Amino acid sequence: MSTGAPKSGSTGRKLPEVLASLDQDVLAMVISRAALPAILNTLCATIERHYSGILCSVLLLDSDGKTLRHGAAPSLPKEYSQAIDGAQIGPSVGSCGTAAFRRQPVIVSDIATDPMWADYRHLALPHGLRACWSMPISSQDGGVLGTFAIYYREPRNPDTEHQQLIAHAAHLAAIAIERDRAKAELSAAESRYRTLVERLPAITYVAELGASGRWHYVSPQIESMLGFSPAEWLADSSNWINRIHPEERQNVLAVEERFQKHRDLFQAEYRVFARDGRILWFRDEAVMLPTAEDQPSVMQGVMYDITERKRLEDQLRHSQKMEAVGLLAGGVAHDFNNLLMLIQAHNERLRASLVPNGAAQKESLGIEHAVTRAASLTGRLLAFSRKQVLQPKVMDLNEVLTEVAKMLDRLIEKNISVRVVPARQLWPLKADPGQIEQLIMNLAVNARDAMPAGGELFIETRNVEIDATHQALGEGVRSGRYLNLTVRDTGVGMNRETLAHMFEPFFTTKEPGKGTGLGLAIVYGVVKQLRGWTHVESQPGKGTTFEIYIPRAEEANVPAAVDKILDLSTVPKGTETILLVEDEDGIRELASAFLQGRGYMVLTAMDGNEALRIAEGHEDLIHLLVTDIVMPNVGGKELSQRLRQVRPQIKVLFMSGYPDHPVLANSDLAVQSTVLQKPFSLDMLAHKVRTLLDQG
């Protein structure tokens, strides 16, 4: 049996010199980032060169913590290295498997007799391997990375110099393995980061501060969003500032200046021109990267495309604006109708005392005509504010279109060709016919005014089924079956600015006196009220197309009920008791005096609270409640409900300048109730009162 003295290949060489040579060769390769197999092979080959008779081996512990894999063994037989590749560590798995399992050195002096090799000696002995000393390769955190082993071709007892050599070699192997794994983890992390960055629905970048700061990196998304390849964008440092909308450039640069001063967080929203001319909104957020004092400040950030969010915000603001103007229009119409009611009532009483067919009576008729025209204007305001009284019914849109088409001959100039194409077997529509007439007329007149030099007006109806693929058609799009009304002209068209404001009330591009600006606003209000939406396409010089989508009626078509025609030649009288509630003093006094003059007993109240007190103190029957719907304190709806609880026989006649139709949605209220839309004549009031009182 040999001793621990060096063999002929290393006679006279001291261990420190060998270790110094190992350090120089191996660490130089680690620093130069050489491949791990090459480093481990160099480690083994260097030891084998200095110590003849030694065969070195490095096995790497797999990520499962159980399997040993081949790392390096330049002088071991390939068949043997392949045989032990994949061995599972355990308490008796040769020298290496046992060392990795125990986490301590294992020295086997004779493979042929040692029980730890009982299941593996048949692999080693045929290749002349008789002894194996193995050392675990430990990580800095105490884990096992693998094993470093030396084999001998004869039995060999422990040797201090060789044990020190193994320990030092295992330490160098640990440095190389941990460096390689750190590099692999860093590469994997970079790959994951790059994958994340390049899959984000945003543009990531690294750039120097300033209007023309150099861009160091930009993610590939810039091509799909703005139309520039990363190379094109990086080639010109002024791309960024030149592509920002001029209205936002100074503000963005001011935000960047504050960011450079305070170094907190860069946040800005601005518009950017894409390569194809599209304007996109971006939200830009960035942080400052650490740099040397003599180097330019560098920021790393993300640009999010918020164009769709901005579009939705604009729609919300527009909707809120329309709602606010609608409330204002409804309020104005209510007050104006009350004034018209007073004018009409006084004029009606005045005319009754005038000489028939006299000059004064003609003047009175002129006042009545003016009141009618003014009431028509308030009706348009109410249509816009969606507060008019409606009488929806199941109808055929084509029938309304046919009737409107007859009127268009008188409205459309001869230099405009009108083509109407009604669809066959059009689905039924539930709406107020007057609404639909007004909608078509407004669109047709708008198209006429857009073609002062003549052109073509095309009106078409068709059935349309909407699904998720139609979401781009506009705000409020929902799946289902719709009737489509298309009105197309070949007129002057509209630019983006006009398109953005076309539905706003009182917005008009016409000369003063040529339009009120309510036409398209009323179209918008009617379509919204019918739970539909409008899609508009227009370009300057290329005409305009309006597409109206209205849900189809599910119920079958039914004939419209025919209202009984009132005979206004005689004014009916009565003796019943009426409770008249109206907050407008003039209307209350006129109506009370008129009804009393027709023989009725009239109790008057200025609001719901006073009416309840009067009703409570009145012992006899009150046959009819005539009340305004909208009043301070207790309104007409609540008043009628509370009175019905104590006087179930009472009938109700509502009055209002803008009665909300949903007020009568409750079936209990609708029974024996009707509505008089202000302004109405006193004779009409008398007939409505008599009609209600005469009902069974």
Side-chain angles (χ1 to χ4, degrees), residues 192-207:
R192 288 193 298 270
Y193 175 75
R194 183 175 294 275
T195 300
L196 174 64
V197 163
E198 294 182 357
R199 289 184 179 179
L200 280 174
I203 298 171
T204 55
Y205 66 89
V206 177

Side-chain angles (χ1 to χ4, degrees), residues 47-348:
I47 293 175
E48 292 174 352
R49 187 172 66 250
H50 288 298
Y51 291 88
S52 63
I54 287 181
L55 306 173
C56 296
S57 168
V58 177
L59 294 176
L60 303 176
L61 190 62
D62 210 348
S63 58
D64 62 4
K66 299 177 181 179
T67 307
L68 290 172
R69 295 294 182 185
H70 173 73
S75 299
L76 283 177
K78 290 184 179 180
E79 295 84 353
Y80 176 74
S81 295
Q82 292 172 355
I84 64 173
D85 185 23
Q88 301 292 301
I89 67 174
S92 297
V93 185
S95 302
C96 295
T98 307
F101 181 79
R102 295 179 180 177
R103 302 192 175 203
Q104 61 185 27
V106 172
I107 296 177
V108 173
S109 299
D110 191 350
I111 292 175
T113 60
D114 196 295
M116 283 187 290
W117 279 83
D119 296 330
Y120 296 91
R121 61 172 61 100
H122 68 284
L123 300 175
L125 294 178
H127 296 288
L129 304 177
R130 292 297 304 274
C132 181
W133 304 355
S134 182
M135 172 75 71
I137 301 173
S138 301
S139 63
Q140 292 184 358
D141 60 5
V144 176
L145 302 172
T147 60
F148 184 88
I150 55 176
Y151 288 83
Y152 300 94
R153 293 190 180 279
E154 70 277 346
R156 179 105 179 196
N157 288 325
D159 178 282
T160 303
E161 181 179 348
H162 287 198
Q163 287 179 328
Q164 292 177 356
L165 180 66
I166 292 174
H168 193 77
H171 176 65
L172 290 175
I175 293 174
I177 294 170
E178 286 203 298
R179 184 69 173 267
D180 182 76
R181 292 190 176 180
K183 182 174 66 175
E185 290 175 359
L186 177 60
S187 176
E190 289 177 348
S191 177
R192 288 193 298 270
Y193 175 75
R194 183 175 294 275
T195 300
L196 174 64
V197 163
E198 294 182 357
R199 289 184 179 179
L200 280 174
I203 298 171
T204 55
Y205 66 89
V206 177
E208 296 175 6
L209 269 69
S212 299
R214 186 167 69 91
W215 283 54
H216 298 269
Y217 169 79
V218 65
S219 63
Q221 291 93 321
I222 195 168
E223 187 160 9
S224 61
M225 291 185 177
L226 294 177
F228 294 90
S229 70
E232 289 175 320
W233 189 267
L234 296 176
D236 186 354
S237 59
S238 62
N239 267 331
W240 176 68
I241 193 65
N242 288 342
R243 288 283 161 180
I244 294 178
H245 197 287
E247 294 178 2
E248 273 114 38
R249 285 177 191 166
Q250 292 304 316
N251 180 57
V252 172
L253 292 176
V255 173
E256 193 177 70
E257 185 178 344
R258 291 194 297 271
F259 169 62
Q260 187 173 17
K261 180 179 179 181
H262 299 289
R263 293 178 173 265
D264 45 7
L265 179 65
F266 175 83
Q267 289 182 320
E269 292 184 1
Y270 50 84
R271 288 170 288 175
V272 176
F273 289 97
R275 190 171 204 160
D276 59 5
R278 291 176 299 118
I279 299 178
L280 303 177
W281 273 98
F282 281 94
R283 178 174 178 81
D284 193 345
E285 296 184 351
V287 295
M288 196 80 75
L289 294 179
T291 55
E293 292 185 2
D294 59 342
Q295 296 297 316
S297 298
V298 177
M299 59 198 293
Q300 181 177 32
V302 182
M303 294 168 59
Y304 303 94
D305 184 350
I306 59 171
T307 307
E308 179 63 14
R309 194 199 80 190
K310 285 290 186 180
R311 186 184 70 83
L312 294 174
E313 288 177 353
D314 288 343
Q315 286 183 352
L316 177 60
R317 281 193 293 270
H318 177 72
S319 177
Q320 290 172 335
K321 182 192 299 183
M322 297 292 278
E323 185 67 24
V325 176
L327 290 173
L328 174 63
V332 169
H334 171 265
D335 292 342
F336 193 51
N337 277 338
N338 277 335
L339 292 175
L340 291 176
M341 178 73 198
L342 281 172
I343 295 171
Q344 177 152 318
H346 282 296
N347 183 60
E348 193 175 345

Side-chain angles (χ1 to χ4, degrees), residues 570-581:
T570 59
V571 181
K573 300 181 179 181
T575 58
E576 291 89 348
T577 300
I578 299 173
L579 176 56
L580 175 64
V581 190

Side-chain angles (χ1 to χ4, degrees), residues 394-406:
V394 177
M395 51 178 267
D396 185 347
L397 175 59
N398 285 339
E399 291 182 1
V400 179
L401 178 59
T402 301
E403 292 301 316
V404 172
K406 296 176 182 177

Side-chain angles (χ1 to χ4, degrees), residues 425-557:
Q425 297 181 337
L426 193 65
W427 290 330
L429 168 69
K430 187 172 185 178
D432 185 304
Q435 270 190 313
I436 302 301
E437 287 181 7
Q438 190 174 39
L439 184 151
I440 298 174
M441 289 291 292
N442 285 355
L443 289 175
V445 169
N446 194 71
R448 178 202 66 185
D449 295 342
M451 297 184 286
E456 295 181 1
L457 172 59
F458 177 81
I459 307 176
E460 179 188 23
T461 60
R462 58 194 175 100
N463 298 323
V464 179
E465 292 204 32
I466 299 297
D467 55 29
T469 62
H470 295 81
Q471 295 301 313
L473 284 176
E475 176 190 0
V477 176
R478 296 176 301 277
S479 299
R481 294 181 174 183
Y482 292 83
L483 285 84
N484 171 271
L485 171 67
T486 298
V487 178
R488 182 168 62 249
D489 66 64
T490 58
V492 296
M494 293 182 279
N495 57 26
R496 290 184 177 181
E497 182 70 17
T498 303
L499 279 169
H501 299 284
M502 62 182 171
F503 288 131
E504 294 181 5
F506 311 113
F507 173 81
T508 180
T509 57
K510 300 173 185 176
E511 298 177 6
K514 294 293 183 65
T516 63
L518 282 174
L520 292 182
I522 290 172
V523 169
Y524 178 89
V526 169
V527 173
K528 280 292 182 183
Q529 194 167 24
L530 295 174
R531 297 180 296 110
W533 76 89
T534 304
H535 178 64
V536 184
E537 292 185 359
S538 184
Q539 291 184 27
K542 295 185 178 180
T544 301
T545 299
F546 280 87
E547 287 190 283
I548 309 296
Y549 293 84
I550 303 173
R552 66 162 290 180
E554 296 302 327
E555 59 261 49
N557 203 347

